[in-house]
Amino acid sequence: MNTKIKWSISAILIAFFGWYFLIKQSDYIISFKAKAATGTISQGIQEWATNQNKAGKELATVLEKKGYEFLQLELSRGNHKIDYNCEIISLNDSISQVNIGVKELGHSLYNRITAPFIDTPFKKEQIAKVTDFKNGLDQHLKAFKVKIEGEGASKSEFVAYITLTSIMSEKAQKMIASDNIITGYLQKNSIKIIGHPYVEITNWDRDKETLTFNYCFPVSKNATQVADPNVKFKVIPAMKGLKATYYGNFRTSDRAWFALLDYAKRNDIELENKVLENFLANPFNGGNELEWETKIIIPFASK
């Protein structure tokens, strides 16, 4: 082997070890694929962290969040802290790749040396944690189905509505808690509901995961509009956008929103931070949740 080749190999090795020990963010990376949208996985990771807190096992803190593609968590027990850098990549309409980089503060060098070769307690614990999360995610994914229909349009609808705000995970609870306000008003004033209810998301803050939305019931345009501090009337305009059908409990209908966002990103389609949902089943009738159907459209961004 001549001197030039030796120096080249040495330079490559020095560069690799410099990156591995000094630049690389994680001690160990665990990867898996899931049949879910990036947003569904991102929310699942946050819910898993919340459950860790509730169980009193560890203190879980979200340090950074970039859309639905990246999350940085810190789990701590006393002075023992571990960072998790979670990268979520949409591969196609149904599959996402999840890469979780793990770094144990204070023991990083030892973990980087041993992790590729030895099943240390650190390595076993991290694999067990990610496996626990993955098993929970797989169970959750059995509870709903999303069918992306591509570009389409909704029809205009005249509705009575109330305006509500909530975090995303509590949208359905807020609707249920407020149901008597609008249905009671309609009954009291003898206004007949003539279609399936809608939720019109008028503002979706994806970073804070908060919503402002109208909970709507279709009624006749000729209905007597008795003044009320909560109930208003309007026309939901027809809109063009990306459509999907969601089958499952209305509490998690945002799983279809996430699927549409991933579809739009892969196809370079700009969407509004708004959503229109039309619930075609009545949850109060019970039955198989996988047969509860919701039509969803996210409108194209205005040009």
Side-chain angles (χ1 to χ4, degrees), residues 219-234:
V219 297
S220 170
K221 291 182 179 179
N222 299 320
T224 302
Q225 299 180 24
V226 179
D228 186 270
N230 298 307
V231 180
K232 308 297 180 185
F233 295 82
K234 64 175 286 186

Side-chain angles (χ1 to χ4, degrees), residues 192-221:
K192 185 179 179 181
I193 298 170
I194 58 174
H196 298 288
Y198 287 85
V199 162
E200 180 191 26
I201 309 296
T202 56
N203 185 47
W204 174 13
D205 189 320
R206 297 178 193 172
D207 293 324
K208 297 180 180 178
E209 299 194 350
T210 57
L211 303 171
T212 301
F213 62 97
N214 297 324
Y215 182 26
C216 315
F217 285 86
V219 297
S220 170
K221 291 182 179 179

Side-chain angles (χ1 to χ4, degrees), residues 144-146 244-249 252-253 255-256 292-294 296:
F144 67 88
K145 294 184 293 184
V146 177
T245 301
Y246 169 83
Y247 300 92
N249 193 299
T252 52
S253 60
R255 282 25 180 174
W292 298 0
E293 185 177 351
T294 304
I296 295 171

